Structures are given as C-alpha cells and as structure tokens.
Amino acid sequence: MKLTTHPLLPLLASVLTANAFQFPDCVNGPLAKSKACDVTGTAPERAASLVDQLTIDEKLVNLVDQALGASRLGLPKYAWWSEGLHGVAGSPGVKFNTTGYPFSYATSFANAINLGASFDDDLVYEVGTAISTEARAFANFGFGGLDYWTPNVNPYKDPRWGRGAETPGEDPLHIKGYVKAILAGLEGNETVRKVIATCKHYAAYDLERWHGLTRYEFEAIVTLQDLSEYYLPPFQQCARDSKVGSIMCSYNALTIRDMASGKPDEEINLTTAQPACAKPYLMTILRDHWNWTEHNNYITSDCNAILDFLPDNHNFSQTPAEAAAAAYKAGTDTVCEVSGSPLTDVVGAYNQSLLPEAVIDTALRRLYEGLIRAGYLDHGRSSAVAGGDGGSFSSPAYDALNWEDVNTPSTQELALRSATEGIVLLKNAGSLLPLDFSGKKVALIGHWANATGTMRGPYSGIPPFYHNPLYAAQQLNLSFSYANGPVVNASDPDTWTAPALAAAEGADVVLYFGGTDTTVASEDLDRESIAWPETQMQLLSELAGLGKPLVVIQLGDQVDDSSLLNNGNVSSILWVGYPGQSGGTAVFDVLTGKKAPAGRLPVTQYPEGYVDEVPLTEMALRPFNYSSSSNLEQEVSVQGRGSLTIQPRSTPGNKTLSSPGRTYKWYSSPVLPFGYGLHYTTFNVSLSLSSSNASSSSSSPSFSIPSLLTPCTATHLDLCPFSPSANSALSVSITNTGTHTSDYVVLLFLSGEFGPKPYPLKTLVSYKRVKDIKPGETVTVKDVPVSLGAISRVDGDGNTVLYPGTYRFVVDVDGSQGVERGEEVVVELVGDEAVLDEFPQPPKE
C-alpha cells in the first residue's frame, strides 16, 4: 500500500499491519498489467476483467461480506460491512485504533431522527459530507472500507419500532429530501464516489421482535397502494433519482395484498410470501422500473437474512444451498454473514448446480464495479485521462485525506449544530425558557444527565468526547447539584427518589433529563409501551409537586407526554432524541437562548393506548373497521380496481379487524402532531400564489392538468414542478413578530377530496428551514418547490396519478402557538386525470 508523505507516517505504518483493509497494488502487483488496472478502461470493462481472472473457487469466496480476495492476483480481502449512520462507526469493515492516536475516534453527529427533526437538508448534506471525509481518511490508512451501510430510509410508521431513531421520520416526502441530501454528501458529486452508500432495508421493514414474532420470520402483507405510496418512495429517491451505489434487502418476507378481493377474512394475494432478498418483483422495480442499472449497482443482503429462508423462519428454502441460490438468482449480489453463525452455502449451491456461474459473474461484476467507481484500483495514482466511463477513477483529493481531517474544529461545530437544530420545544408555559441562570442554583436530575455512550444512540463509533449535560453545566460555571434517576425497571430498589428530591429542594430550577434509551428500544427490540416509564413518571410527579420551575428534557424516542403537557407544575418540555457527542452543550445552548429552538417533530406523538388499537404487524396505513360477520359490500365501495373506501386487514391471524390509521396523514387524534414545534419568538406567516397561466373564471385559480405537464422537461413526470413558470409560484412570507432571533421551518401541507377514498387528512408537499430571522425582519421564500408527484395520489394499482379537484394548501400545523397563519391557498385542477408513474404490476401467480 503506497502512502503519501505525511508526518504521521511512521506511527501509521506501525498499526497498518493489524488492519484488514488494503487497496490493490495496480502499479507493481500481479494485477498491474491487466485490463482491471488500465486507467483508460471503463468501470464495467475493468470489473469484467477482474472477475474473468478469478477461478471458480475464488469467485465463490468473494460472494459474501467477508470476501477473501485472491492472493495470487494481489486482490486483498475486503469486508463489505462498514457503518456510518451518523458518523464512522464500529463494524467489521471499520477498525478503531484502540492503542491510541491516530484513528482512535470519529465524529459522532446527532442521530438520523434528530437530523430529521431539523428539517434542514443543507445540514444533512454537510453531515453526510463530513462523515464521508472521515470515512475516506479511515480507508486511506487501512482503518475502514469504501462502502457504508447507511442510510436507513424505512419510514417510521409505528412508534414501537425499535429502530425508528435510525430514520429521519414518518413522512415519505420528508425522507426523500433527507435521502437526496445525505447521499449527495456521502457519495459526493465527483466522478469517483467518495464512499459507496447503501440504502436500507428494502422493503416494508419495520418490525424487530414483538409478541414473540421476530423480523427473521415476519411476513409483511402490503397492498400495492401502500407499497407504492408509502414504503417505496425513499427507495425510489435512492435508486431512480440519486442512483445510490448499493441497496440492502431486508429480513422480512413480503406478500402483495390484492385490495380488490374485498375479503378481509381470506388472504387473497397477488404474490406469494417470498423473502425480500429473494423476491424477483422487488428486484424488477429496482432495476427495470427505476432503471437502477446505470452503474451496475449492487444489492447486499441484511446480515444472516439468507439463513432466514430456512424452515425455522420463512420456510422458503429447505437447505442452505437452496437459500443461497434463491438469493443470488433473484438479484442479491452479496450476502452478509454474522460471525459465529452458520455460513452461507455458496459452494453447495454451485456444486449442486443450483447457482450458475453466469449469475455469480454478474454479482461479482456489480460488486467490483462499485469499488472501482470509488477508486479502489486507482488509489494513489494520478492520471490525466478524463474520468467517468471513459477512463480513470483516481482521486488525489480523496487520497490526501488523513487523520488531521477527522473531527476537526469545523466538524465539532457541525456536530453541535446537528444536535441543536433537531431540538424540539414541546411546551413552554409562561415563556419560562430561555433561562437566565445567573444567581440561580440548578438541579440536574435523571439518568440522561451524566450519560456517555447512550448519547450516541444506535450504530455509533468512538467519539472524541462526551459533552453531556453535566459537562455543559460545568463549562457554564453553574451552581448545580446532580442526582441520578431510573430508566425503566420498576423492580429495582428505589435508590433515586430521595437524592433527587434533596437536590431539587435546594435548587431554584429543576432540570430533569429522562426518557427512553437503547435498553428500551433498539435493533432486535421493539417497545410494548409508548408511555413514560412508570418509575420516571413517579419521580417526575414528586419533583413537580415541589412547585419549582421544572424543565423536562426528554431524550430517546417519543413517549406520550399528555400528563406532562397537562401538568401545570411542569413548565417546559424539550425533546432532544439521541444528540451525539455534543448533546449536553446543545441542550444548554437552547436552555439559555444562545440558540432558539426551531426543530419540528418528525413523527406523530401517539397516546399510550394506541398500542392496544392496532398490532405492530399490521402494515396498512389507512384506517379500517371490519366485523367478521358483516356484509363487506355494505362497508366497502370500489372506485376502479383496488381503490377501496376502507382498506382490508393485512396480517394473517389478526383478530383485531380495525385500525385508527397510521401517521399524521391518517391518524386524527395525536397527542402532538407531526411537524409540531414551538419557538421563543412569534411569527406571522402568509402563503400566496402568483399566477399568470391560471384561469380566473372562478374564485380559485384554475390550472389545466395538461398545461402543467406540457412544458415539463423532467425525466419523470412526477418530478415536474407544480409551478412550471416564473410567474406561477407558491411563496411564503415569514415575519418575526417577537423578540428573539430564530430559525423557522416552513411546512407546506395539502388537503382535498380528490383521487381514491379515503382522503388523507393532509399531506406534506414541501418544507424548508429558514435561518436566523431577526425580530421585525420579514423573509420571503419565493417559489416554494412543489412537485406534481408531491400533490398526486396513488391508486389501488400503485400508479401515481394527478387528479382534477380542489387543492387546499396551508403552512404549518394546527396548534403551533406563536405562529399566526394567513389564509390557505385554494387551487382548482381541471381536465382529465394523468398517470405520472405507471407502477409495475406483480406477475400472476
């Protein structure tokens, strides 16, 4: 491995031998004279050359995540499993230097759910860029690979899901914006990919372990309508629009439900239950419908997902060899194995003639083309040949990244911003916040007050420091006392109440740092309850009874805050999520008013009784209510194939034949709605429409559907703008009518009775974070970006359709105190409905 001259080289050289990752030597190694190392060759040509030089035995051992390479060719081992959800993280492909400096840590940004709460795609892009910069530095010196299994883009539709904090939230349009930004930062915009990002988990995956059912055996039964409208849009952004390098298929099996059957007590399906990693229909959507083939991109399985094909779980394959063959033949290109588990029987699949060599070659060409596009064979080589498919994939700029580019002062500041911008103010009675701590004694109470590793949340690396709340209070030279608190286990001896009350009684202000953590909800661990843990609520009740100003800083996942919102002795509530290495500093920046809160809830906050209304296994989004003895014809009206007024149940054996609906689009009784968030100041917000190509024959502007489509030059009709000309645009004016400089998140919603029933309560169609609006200042966001896809509906066949009807646009959410909203904008769309995207139909089975 050739190293560039740098003062750290002697130290780095001493630790490189312990690390697994190496770039092939294309200058002096055995591959140097082959087409694979020819910088004038295209990526497909070079990948094909490399694969053609492998023997069948060498091919077989490179089809799994711990690929063994080929020593006789100078092709090193490669670990296809590096993590970077919110910073370079520990994983088989990433090795932190545990003996000390260098590469002993990486920046730990706030988790994805916090970034989602910021509604700031510019921030998301910056975080993605910083992660890939550090990842590339790790790779340059053998501490990390070139592919990273991030982002998690599954919509967070149910609050019980243990991995929801890994996602940006519940709304598919919002997730698409996040995905576009994070992928641009991770993969870069140069010819050479900075890192290979991996969108996961494809598809309809959001169950870990619930009531004895695990993700390894779960069959998600989904209608075409829900699949196209809710579960797949983030992956459409990944594959079709952002052309991500890799996608991970999920553990669960998937069945497509036939909505037109009209028989909730019988499972009439369009496809049989097949594991996602062996479902050709899903691969067809990716590679054929979305044309995710431009760079010969590859699919990796989730870890041990192929073993789940066997009788103990999905019962899809009878032997490990059959399971391996089914995955690769369906289009999965590499299989992740977990150390200590049985290995994927790739060899058996080939030896039993279940897996053709042509399929093996296709998979390997995809994998190595991905690495080549990330500079795998050109590391350290400069070339005058133009990049792209016409030549070299060297990147001197990426190759020059080193230890000094990890956790720099600028990335530390970015980590702080990633935490601060995602903080959501949920209550602020009497405008208690911001606080002036001068001359006050403060009590810091709760299990999060002195947290360290839990601040990072899931999929984390080793950060350079933990700036937790106690650290932040010390830095501000506050006079404070500290007492620990419980997490969840009510059976533990109560060692916390007396010290907490003693600390609070001697304080002027009480700060309670509580909520859930990864012991309550995480990968392989779903929640049974979404209430505050009983032990914490008991302590909070005692603290509130003291009558002192009480601020609740809620970390972890959302819980039902009803009792705290209604308690007059609870002054303020901040939701902080998983804030990363600078979480404590971020909290005190908001508490003191150094930074005004402007984050918004990226998910619905449900009442605790929601968990008794609908099982976690139910995949339907729309509300429904069935009686097994009722006449379905009296309850369901069909409007064209598959468009039902009420959606059938979708889970085998589900005796609860009703659902109140999921997400803000369908659930009408939240504790706090998606998009909720208070401020330290007040705003006057107005929405307007300027239009020169609309008819004024009625009180509302009228647009012809053909007139919206005709001038569009977008590759896909759903990407066409709703405002196709400079003189026809939605704009938002925001005036800060209060006394604090503050950001403001514009949330533009749409409602209306058009398209198939039932109609959503409202739909997010655009969002933007506007920065640092000063008191008295007015900022106008001109031409708010709204696509035709965002205002369309999805029919029963999964087609995206623009319907005629009355469209009502409004800014912000109901109940946003301190935000005075102008009138809604009402627009009429006229003419025949137009199909913007014709969804591929499942094969007849």
Side-chain angles (χ1 to χ4, degrees), residues 539-809:
L539 179 56
L540 275 168
S541 178
E542 298 264 13
L543 293 172
L546 298 177
K548 297 176 182 285
L550 172 61
V551 180
V552 175
I553 298 95
Q554 176 190 333
L555 293 102
D557 293 309
Q558 289 297 314
V559 289
D560 181 352
D561 284 328
S562 298
S563 61
L564 301 182
L565 292 167
N566 296 326
N567 189 329
N569 289 331
V570 175
S571 307
S572 304
I573 305 172
L574 290 171
W575 177 77
V576 182
Y578 288 98
Q581 67 184 40
S582 300
T585 304
V587 168
F588 273 92
D589 279 355
V590 170
L591 290 173
T592 60
K594 182 178 179 180
K595 180 66 176 179
R600 302 298 191 101
L601 286 181
V603 292
T604 300
Q605 188 180 111
Y606 294 86
E608 61 178 276
Y610 180 81
V611 300
D612 299 320
E613 295 186 78
V614 57
L616 183 56
T617 49
E618 175 60 61
M619 301 301 290
L621 277 298
R622 290 159 178 75
F624 63 83
N625 187 10
Y626 281 118
S627 168
S628 59
S629 61
S630 66
N631 185 341
L632 191 67
E633 294 300 323
Q634 296 175 0
E635 298 188 45
V636 181
S637 64
V638 179
Q639 301 179 349
R641 185 190 181 282
S643 299
L644 301 186
T645 300
I646 302 175
Q647 191 169 7
R649 74 153 193 234
S650 61
T651 303
N654 174 16
K655 301 305 181 184
T656 305
L657 299 182
S658 65
S659 169
R662 281 194 161 99
T663 81
Y664 75 95
K665 292 180 67 173
W666 306 106
Y667 183 73
S668 60
S669 305
V671 175
L672 291 172
F674 168 89
Y676 186 85
L678 305 179
H679 306 84
Y680 287 166
T681 191
T682 55
F683 290 102
N684 185 294
V685 181
S686 63
L687 175 67
S688 61
L689 174 71
S690 60
S691 177
S692 64
N693 64 339
S695 168
S696 57
S697 59
S698 63
S699 58
S700 302
S702 177
F703 291 86
S704 162
I705 289 176
S707 74
L708 296 175
L709 294 170
T710 301
C712 178
T713 59
T715 306
H716 305 282
L717 292 179
D718 58 285
L719 299 179
C720 295
F722 170 64
S723 305
S725 71
N727 296 319
S728 176
L730 286 161
S731 63
V732 176
S733 291
I734 310 138
T735 301
N736 186 337
T737 56
T739 58
H740 294 273
T741 297
S742 177
D743 294 358
Y744 177 80
V745 173
V746 175
L747 299 174
L748 182 63
F749 291 98
L750 169 67
S751 62
E753 296 185 354
F754 49 86
K757 294 181 180 180
Y759 307 121
L761 300 169
K762 61 182 179 181
T763 300
L764 182 71
V765 296
S766 190
Y767 64 92
K768 181 178 178 60
R769 187 171 181 127
V770 183
K771 304 291 185 66
D772 296 325
I773 307 174
K774 298 178 177 59
E777 182 182 9
T778 297
V779 176
T780 300
V781 181
K782 297 180 180 179
D783 195 10
V784 177
V786 180
S787 69
L788 294 186
I791 66 173
S792 65
R793 296 287 309 285
V794 173
D795 68 14
D797 288 333
N799 301 316
T800 301
V801 183
L802 187 61
Y803 290 96
T806 302
Y807 288 63
R808 301 179 182 277
F809 296 92

Side-chain angles (χ1 to χ4, degrees), residues 68-93:
L68 298 183
S71 57
R72 76 180 173 84
L73 295 177
L75 182 65
K77 298 177 181 180
Y78 185 79
W80 293 89
W81 183 355
S82 296
E83 298 286 356
L85 177 65
H86 56 106
V88 176
S91 46

Side-chain angles (χ1 to χ4, degrees), residues 324-349:
Y328 292 114
K329 288 166 70 175
T332 300
D333 301 304
T334 182
V335 170
C336 174
E337 301 175 327
V338 175
S339 177
S341 298
L343 299 179
T344 307
D345 193 5
V346 183
V347 174

